[in-house]
C-alpha cells in the first residue's frame, strides 16, 4: 500500500478513492469490450478476455498518464485519474442530458432530415458537454484545470474574442 501511495503521490487516505474508481471503471470497460467480441453463452471466455483486455488497457492508460503528466501541469499524479474520470463521466452524462432536451424541443428523426437531426444532436450535445465538463471538474476538485481547458478549446473553435 505504501508503494502505491508513493507512486501516485497520495498523501491522504481519501485520495485512494480515485485509483479504486479508476480500476473499477477499467475492469468494467474491459468486460464490456470482451462481451462485444464473445457471445454471452461463453461466459468463461468472456472472463478470460476481460482479464487480458484489462491488463492491455491498464498498460495503455499508464503510458498515456506518463505522457500527459508532462503535458498537463498537475500537482499530483492521482489528479490525472481524477481528470480522466471527469472526462469519462462528462462524456456519458452529456448524452443523457442532451437527449431529453432534444425530445423536449420536438427534434426527431421523423420531422427532420437525418443529416440535420444528427447535426443538431451533435451541437446540442457539444454545448451540454462544455457546461457539464466544468461542473464535473468542480465537483471533483479540478475546476481550475477544466476551466483553463475549456477556455483553450473555445479559443481554438474561434470564440477567442468572447473569452479574452
Amino acid at each position: 500500500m505504501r508503494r502505491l501511495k508513493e507512486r501516485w503521490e497520495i498523501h491522504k487516505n481519501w485520495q485512494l478513492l480515485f485509483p479504486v474508481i479508476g480500476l473499477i471503471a477499467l475492469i468494467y470497460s474491459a468486460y464490456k469490450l470482451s462481451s462485444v467480441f464473445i457471445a454471452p453463452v461463453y461466459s468463461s471466455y468472456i472472463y478470460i478476455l476481460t482479464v487480458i483486455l484489462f491488463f492491455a488497457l491498464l498498460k495503455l492508460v499508464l503510458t498515456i498518464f506518463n505522457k500527459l503528466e508532462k503535458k498537463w501541469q498537475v500537482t499530483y499524479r492521482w489528479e490525472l485519474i481524477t481528470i480522466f474520470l471527469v472526462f469519462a463521466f462528462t462524456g456519458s452524462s452529456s448524452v443523457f442530458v442532451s437527449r431529453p432536451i432534444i425530445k423536449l424541443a420536438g427534434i426527431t428523426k421523423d420531422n427532420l432530415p437525418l443529416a440535420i437531426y444528427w447535426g443538431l444532436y451533435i451541437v446540442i450535445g457539444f454545448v451540454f458537454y462544455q457546461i457539464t465538463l466544468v461542473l464535473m471538474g468542480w465537483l471533483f476538485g479540478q475546476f481550475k484545470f477544466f476551466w483553463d481547458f475549456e477556455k483553450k478549446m473555445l479559443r481554438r473553435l474561434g470564440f477567442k474574442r468572447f473569452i479574452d
Side-chain angles (χ1 to χ4, degrees):
M1 184 63 89
R2 192 179 85 247
R3 284 183 51 207
L4 176 78
K5 285 184 174 183
E6 288 172 4
R7 178 180 165 91
W8 289 99
E9 299 172 348
I10 294 174
H11 301 293
K12 297 181 178 155
N13 285 336
W14 67 267
Q15 295 166 342
L16 282 169
L17 178 68
F18 297 112
V20 168
I21 292 174
L23 285 174
I24 291 170
L26 202 60
I27 291 168
Y28 179 73
S29 299
Y31 175 75
K32 291 302 271 186
L33 278 173
S34 63
S35 65
V36 166
F37 296 117
I38 298 175
V41 177
Y42 305 107
S43 61
S44 60
Y45 294 124
I46 287 179
Y47 297 136
I48 293 169
L49 185 60
T50 298
V51 170
I52 294 168
L53 284 175
F54 169 75
F55 285 111
L57 288 173
L58 183 63
K59 176 102 173 126
L60 175 69
V61 167
L62 291 176
T63 304
I64 292 170
F65 276 9
N66 288 333
K67 290 182 180 184
L68 288 178
E69 184 178 18
K70 296 169 188 151
K71 184 177 179 179
W72 294 341
Q73 304 278 323
V74 294
T75 310
Y76 304 108
R77 291 190 84 201
W78 64 267
E79 290 177 320
L80 288 170
I81 299 170
T82 309
I83 290 168
F84 270 83
L85 287 172
V86 169
F87 278 124
F89 290 145
T90 301
S92 303
S93 63
S94 67
V95 172
F96 292 119
V97 170
S98 61
R99 194 175 289 159
I101 299 296
I102 288 173
K103 286 182 182 177
L104 187 66
I107 300 171
T108 63
K109 293 178 187 176
D110 299 330
N111 62 4
L112 288 174
L114 206 55
I116 294 174
Y117 169 79
W118 283 110
L120 287 171
Y121 190 86
I122 289 169
V123 168
I124 291 170
F126 181 74
V127 169
F128 280 102
Y129 179 80
Q130 304 309 313
I131 294 167
T132 311
L133 187 66
V134 175
L135 288 174
M136 287 282 198
W138 175 75
L139 284 174
F140 278 81
Q142 296 296 322
F143 177 78
K144 182 178 177 351
F145 174 83
F146 284 102
W147 184 242
D148 293 341
F149 184 86
E150 188 70 33
K151 290 189 288 188
K152 184 177 177 183
M153 185 171 22
L154 290 174
R155 280 188 195 106
R156 288 182 179 172
L157 290 174
F159 294 106
K160 184 178 183 176
R161 63 177 173 215
F162 299 114
I163 300 209
D164 296 333

